Amino acid sequence: MRSNPLDVIAAIGLAIGGAFGLAGTFVASAELRETLWTIDGVALVVATALLTMKYSGWAMTASLPDS
C-alpha cells in the first residue's frame, strides 16, 4: 500500500512540533525558546489542518488517487 503524501507531511509536522516544543522547554535563552516554539506551533497547526481536511473529506482534491 502506498502512503499518501499528505499523511507523510502531517506525520512529519507532528514529529517536528513535538521535538521543537520539547526542545524549547529546555533552552535557557528566551530568544531561542521563542523561535523553537514558533516553529513548533506552525508545524502543529499545519499537521492538524491536514488531518482535519483528510478526516472531514475536504482533502479529496489535494490527494492522489488510490491505485
Side-chain angles (χ1 to χ4, degrees):
M1 182 168 87
R2 187 169 176 222
S3 62
N4 188 344
L6 294 178
D7 293 341
V8 174
I9 293 170
I12 291 170
L14 291 173
I16 289 172
F20 278 57
L22 188 62
T25 303
F26 291 109
V27 297
S29 168
E31 294 84 11
L32 181 57
R33 185 180 317 117
E34 179 182 350
T35 302
L36 291 173
W37 283 348
T38 300
I39 295 169
D40 158 53
V42 170
L44 291 176
V45 167
V46 168
T48 304
L50 287 174
L51 291 173
T52 300
M53 287 174 36
K54 175 183 179 177
Y55 288 107
S56 65
W58 294 347
M60 294 178 69
T61 59
S63 62
L64 297 174
D66 294 330
S67 354

